[in-house]
Amino acid sequence: MGKISILLVDDDPHLVRLVRANLESVGYKVFTTADARTALALVDKEMPDMIILDIMLPEIDGYELCQQIREFAATPIIMLTAKVEDTDKVKGLKLGADDYITKPFNVPELLARIEAVLRRSRSSEEITGPRALTCGDISIDFVQRRVTVRGQEVALTLTEYKLLSQLASNAGRVMLHRELLTKVWGPEYQDEMEYLRAYIRHLRQKIEADPHQPRY
């Protein structure tokens, strides 16, 4: 197994030096760039295990870059933001980010977030229930982690799949917000209700015929 690789996209040289030095000191391989176009090329060429992405970038901002990355890669993304408004954080989640961290932050906080997101992305849950499930137009293959809707395979990020899998595996029972957040994101996220709201919206956009009048 090689080193876990992280792409850091930020145009603040001081922050890049600080984050890179700390990530490399604990064993991560780090790529850095200050612009979105180079970042897209690096994602395609190097296929990093994670992307840390600043919102405030020249030319193409972090929101648009996140959206472009999600068109071809499911790589976990943590967004860095100097903004503290919930609407700004939710916007990143809606576009496919897996987590966010607000500047200024301390290194232990960043490392903890990275470890939590990587743990989710690399977790291989043992299949103890049914190997497949069909509900209406939706079919889930829990072995291959494939979801089809009306006969067409749907591309889900890992977090979207894990959330749908939890809901489908517990069909017929009420799941509490904290239960879902703990099982999908981890115990550190049990109070992050906006994560759950954002990803339920993601799923509805992908599996519902009419997301505004959801059937499922």
Side-chain angles (χ1 to χ4, degrees):
M1 292 289 290
K3 288 184 177 181
I4 293 172
S5 59
I6 297 177
L7 171 61
L8 172 61
V9 188
D10 198 298
D11 63 343
D12 180 343
H14 175 72
L15 183 141
V16 169
R17 286 195 299 270
L18 174 67
V19 172
R20 180 172 196 161
N22 280 277
L23 292 182
E24 290 180 339
S25 73
V26 294
Y28 293 114
K29 181 179 181 180
V30 182
F31 304 100
T32 65
T33 183
D35 69 275
R37 299 185 191 283
T38 306
L40 287 170
L42 283 169
V43 173
D44 184 50
K45 178 183 177 182
E46 303 294 345
M47 294 184 292
D49 297 294
M50 173 178 286
I51 301 165
I52 301 175
L53 172 60
D54 187 31
I55 288 177
M56 304 302 291
L57 294 172
E59 297 184 17
I60 299 175
D61 68 19
Y63 292 130
E64 185 175 346
L65 177 55
C66 179
Q67 190 171 24
Q68 290 186 26
I69 291 171
R70 279 291 170 260
E71 291 175 0
F72 69 95
T75 310
I77 295 174
I78 295 178
M79 299 197 80
L80 302 179
T81 173
K83 302 179 179 181
V84 295
E85 295 294 330
D86 286 342
T87 52
D88 296 311
K89 297 172 182 177
V90 171
K91 183 177 180 180
L93 295 174
K94 284 182 177 179
L95 293 173
D98 296 270
D99 202 353
Y100 59 82
I101 187 167
T102 304
K103 296 179 180 180
F105 54 83
N106 57 52
V107 171
E109 179 185 7
L110 177 62
L111 291 174
R113 292 283 186 170
I114 290 171
E115 289 169 5
V117 173
L118 286 173
R119 186 171 64 244
R120 292 203 302 271
S121 69
R122 292 179 176 273
S123 64
S124 54
E125 300 172 1
E126 183 181 353
I127 299 170
T128 56
R131 299 170 70 85
L133 180 146
T134 297
C135 178
D137 294 327
I138 300 174
S139 295
I140 305 172
D141 183 331
F142 295 108
V143 178
Q144 298 186 15
R145 296 192 174 190
R146 294 176 67 246
V147 177
T148 57
V149 179
R150 294 176 287 281
Q152 298 294 317
E153 185 170 355
V154 176
L156 300 180
T157 67
L158 181 64
T159 302
E160 291 167 351
Y161 172 80
K162 291 184 72 173
L163 177 56
L164 179 61
S165 178
Q166 281 294 328
L167 292 168
S169 300
N170 290 275
R173 65 176 286 259
V174 174
M175 299 192 74
L176 301 178
H177 290 81
R178 286 192 169 193
E179 181 183 7
L180 275 169
L181 285 161
T182 298
K183 287 187 174 183
V184 177
W185 282 269
E188 309 95 326
Y189 296 83
Q190 60 180 315
D191 295 318
E192 299 281 2
M193 300 303 180
E194 284 298 343
Y195 284 68
L196 192 53
R197 295 189 184 101
Y199 272 86
I200 289 293
R201 284 193 290 267
H202 290 178
L203 285 176
R204 285 178 173 165
Q205 290 291 333
K206 292 185 176 183
I207 69 174
E208 295 283 358
D210 182 357
H212 300 292
Q213 295 184 343
R215 174 184 176 189
Y216 300 102

